[in-house]
Structures are given as structure tokens and as C-alpha cells.
């Protein structure tokens, strides 16, 4: 039986500019099964899930549930659970972790501050500290959102864990089911699609050295989708793999055409033209879709270096 990911792969749909958008990620360990909207349809108290969702709205913080790869039994114990926060904007990239027994403590966080990249609220409220281990690889496995995430994501997470890779978690939802298996790597916030275990290991190896693997990359969640596509195109043009080398300074315009200004940490600037086009022929955007769609694709049509004076003036 055909799946949305099979069709997308067969049509060679580009993955660039398709990552979820979040300046800051907040990840809560929650064992057991997940429903389509996991914050309110899991073994987490649904009232707490609704409150967290409301608290994060409009702050730039995206909340997701995570669990260890493997069997997902939840015996209802009060065991301690891990929680992570990661800010992904270059120049202020960080990943902090904490352990807690009562997830209601998350309601004490200043979500606006988290979205701005201030980790002090996480550290003070949850006794958090900087994560000293390996980068995190978060594999989307929520089959209730789309069966591709279960069929392709769960085996990938299990293979990575069995191989001894550290920092591997299953995560509830990263969007872009048709690019499964899809993986978010923290702290830098780059998302990958159609990845296999050997590629994830290469990506994690690079992340430990603050390097980015461009192949298979959907984009950095810190940027909007035109910014994601522009940054990846500029990285390819420059051969630049340093994780925090490029910053999206601004995005001007509106669909279907944007001008994205990017800066290198060495002082250089570029303007990248991104055009939105519809994917043809129509295809299922998820396995649960009742009608075919033409998902938007980001196409980079020009990359121009700017004099510093012009970039600053604009």
C-alpha cells in the first residue's frame, strides 16, 4: 500500500524549507501511548496539556512530548522524568536539562523569556543546568498523526538506540509526515528528512563538533520557511558547515516572493530571493488526508553578496 512518504520520495519533492518553526523547544518525557494531539491525548493530564499549550502560544516556544525508544508501557508510577529546553537562534544556542516528578512545575516557567532565549527561568524553576552530554536526536514516531512516522520513525529510533547512539528520543510531532523518517537535532535546531541510521550518526558526529550536515536537511527551526531555504542555499553555495556561522537578519516580502537578508559571523552579507511554488502533480500531504494537495515548496532563485554598508542600511 502506498504511503505519503513513498509518493513524496518518488516525486523527488525537495525537503529544504519544510522544517517546523520554533525558536525554543521544550521537551517533556511522557511514557505510554500518544494520540494525534499528544499534549492532550496521552497519559499526561489533559488539563495540564491544555494549560501548557496556552502558555506557550505566541511565545516562540514549541512543546513536544518525548519518550525513550522501544516499548511504551506506562505503569503510572511517579518516576522522575526528563525535561529539556533548547534555544536554536545562532549566537545564543543552548540546551539545558532537568529532572522532575511533577510536570505541573512547567507552568511556573516564563515562556516569553524562554522564547527570547533566556534560560534563567528554566534553571531557577526546574533546577535546570546546561546539558553536558551528546546532542539530542529526536525521531518523530507518532503514528496517530501519520502512519509513516510509526512505520519509518520507530525502526529508526530503535536502530539508533541499539547501535549505542546517545541522546536518542522518540518525539510526538515534527510535521512533514511525507518526509519520514524525520529527525530534529538539538541544540542547533536543524531538522532532517528521509534519513537512515548511518546518516543520523554522521549528523550527530557533526553536531558534536558544531558542524551542520546539509544533505537531507529541511532547515533550522529558528527561521521561517523562506529563511530556512535561503540559509541552506547559501550554505551550499559557500560550502559553509559551521553551525552558527549564518544568521537570518530579516525577511522582506510575502508569498509568493521573499527577499531574505543573511549575515555571516565574519561580517559578510547576502540577499537571497525565495519564491513559493506549488508542488505538482497533487499528492497526499499525509496518509490521513482525504484529498490530494499541492504543498508549497520554497525555491531559491538568486543569491547576491551585499556590500556591508548596503546591508546595514537596509
Amino acid at each position: 500500500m502506498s504511503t505519503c512518504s513513498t509518493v513524496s520520495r518518488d516525486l523527488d519533492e525537495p525537503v529544504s524549507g519544510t522544517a517546523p518553526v520554533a525558536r525554543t523547544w521544550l521537551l517533556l518525557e511522557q511514557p505510554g501511548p500518544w494520540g494525534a494531539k499528544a499534549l492532550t491525548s496521552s497519559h499526561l493530564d489533559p488539563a495540564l496539556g491544555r494549560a501548557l499549550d496556552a502558555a506557550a502560544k505566541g511565545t516562540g516556544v514549541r512543546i513536544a512530548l518525548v519518550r525513550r525508544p522501544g516499548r511504551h508501557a506506562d505503569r503510572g508510577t511517579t518516576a522522575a522524568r526528563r525535561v529539556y529546553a533548547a534555544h536554536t537562534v545562532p549566537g545564543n544556542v543552548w540546551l539545558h536539562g532537568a529532572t522532575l516528578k511533577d510536570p505541573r512545575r512547567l507552568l511556573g516557567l516564563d515562556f516569553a523569556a524562554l522564547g527570547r532565549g533566556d534560560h534563567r527561568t528554566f534553571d531557577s524553576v526546574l533546577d535546570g543546568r546546561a546539558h553536558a552530554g551528546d546532542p539530542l536526536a529526536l525521531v518523530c514516531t507518532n503514528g496517530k498523526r501519520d502512519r509513516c512516522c510509526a512505520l519509518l520513525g520507530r525502526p529508526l529510533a530503535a536502530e539508533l538506540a541499539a547501535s549505542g547512539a546517545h541522546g536518542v528520543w522518540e518525539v510526538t510531532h515534527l510535521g512533514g509526515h511525507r518526509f519520514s523518517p524525520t529527525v530534529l537535532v538539538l541544540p542547533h535546531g536543524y531538522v532532517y528528512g528521509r534519513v537512515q541510521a548511518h546518516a543520523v550518526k554522521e549528523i550527530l558526529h557533526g553536531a558534536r563538533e558544531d558542524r551542520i550536515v546539509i544533505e537531507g536537511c529541511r532547515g533550522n527551526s529558528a527561521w521561517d520557511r523562506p529563511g530556512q531555504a535561503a540559509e541552506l542555499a547559501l550554505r551550499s553555495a559557500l560550502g559553509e558547515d559551521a553551525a552558527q556561522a549564518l544568521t537570518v537578519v530579516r525577511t522582506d516580502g510575502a508569498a509568493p516572493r521573499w527577499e531574505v537578508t543573511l549575515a555571516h559571523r565574519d561580517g559578510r552579507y547576502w540577499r537571497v530571493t525565495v519564491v513559493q511554488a506549488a508542488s505538482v502533480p497533487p499528492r497526499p500531504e499525509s496518509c490521513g488526508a482525504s484529498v490530494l494537495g499541492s504543498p508549497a515548496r520554497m525555491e531559491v532563485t538568486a543569491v547576491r553578496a551585499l556590500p556591508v554598508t548596503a546591508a546595514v542600511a537596509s
Side-chain angles (χ1 to χ4, degrees):
M1 182 180 296
S2 180
T3 63
C4 66
S5 60
T6 301
V7 174
S8 177
R9 188 186 297 268
D10 288 347
L11 293 174
D12 197 25
E13 182 180 356
V15 301
S16 175
T18 67
V21 178
R23 292 191 304 272
T24 302
W25 291 86
L26 181 64
L27 309 171
L28 172 65
E29 182 178 4
Q30 177 57 58
W34 297 331
K37 296 183 178 179
L39 265 184
T40 54
S41 55
S42 68
H43 287 185
L44 183 70
D45 177 3
L48 174 59
R50 288 191 292 271
L52 289 171
D53 189 46
K57 195 173 299 293
T59 65
V61 177
R62 179 161 172 156
I63 304 174
L65 303 183
V66 298
R67 64 192 177 195
R68 298 290 187 182
R71 297 180 62 86
H72 303 133
D74 179 12
R75 298 176 177 82
T77 63
T78 57
R81 61 182 84 194
R82 292 293 292 167
V83 59
Y84 295 99
H87 191 63
T88 62
V89 177
N92 187 30
V93 168
W94 50 260
L95 172 61
H96 283 220
T99 300
L100 51 78
K101 288 189 176 180
D102 183 0
R104 289 174 295 182
R105 291 175 62 189
L106 294 173
L107 292 175
L109 294 172
D110 182 339
F111 283 85
L114 273 182
R116 294 192 301 268
D118 185 347
H119 57 70
R120 289 175 297 181
T121 178
F122 183 88
D123 296 346
S124 61
V125 172
L126 303 180
D127 301 318
R129 62 188 62 188
H131 176 67
D134 287 336
L136 303 185
L138 301 136
V139 184
C140 188
T141 64
N142 191 349
K144 295 296 185 181
R145 297 286 307 208
D146 191 280
R147 63 180 177 178
C148 284
C149 299
L151 292 173
L152 301 174
R154 287 179 186 167
L156 174 63
E159 182 179 355
L160 288 168
S163 73
H166 299 291
V168 178
W169 294 84
E170 297 185 9
V171 67
T172 46
H173 181 50
L174 296 179
H177 323 292
R178 62 193 185 277
F179 304 120
S180 296
T182 185
V183 179
L184 165 67
V185 178
L186 295 175
H188 298 113
Y190 286 84
V191 180
Y192 293 83
R194 303 189 188 123
V195 286
Q196 297 180 331
H198 66 86
V200 177
K201 290 178 183 177
E202 179 186 349
I203 292 164
L204 289 173
H205 177 73
R208 284 193 291 271
E209 300 176 347
D210 290 329
R211 293 186 295 103
I212 299 304
V213 173
I214 299 174
E215 184 177 359
C217 191
R218 297 174 58 192
N220 185 340
S221 72
W223 315 129
D224 59 18
R225 291 185 174 179
Q228 294 172 10
E231 188 219 2
L232 290 176
L234 184 55
R235 282 188 178 277
S236 294
L238 299 176
E240 178 61 78
D241 68 353
Q244 299 190 61
L246 296 174
T247 299
V248 173
V249 177
R250 58 188 292 174
T251 300
D252 298 306
R257 187 178 187 276
W258 299 268
E259 296 290 338
V260 183
T261 303
L262 296 104
H264 195 286
R265 61 187 176 191
D266 66 9
R268 290 178 291 166
Y269 286 84
W270 293 263
R271 186 158 294 147
V272 178
T273 303
V274 181
V275 175
Q276 178 178 299
S279 297
V280 291
R283 77 284 311 275
E285 295 187 56
S286 70
C287 289
S290 58
V291 296
L292 300 181
S294 298
R297 56 198 291 170
M298 298 291 135
E299 298 181 354
V300 172
T301 59
V303 177
R304 304 180 302 281
L306 294 177
V308 173
T309 52
V312 172
S314 67

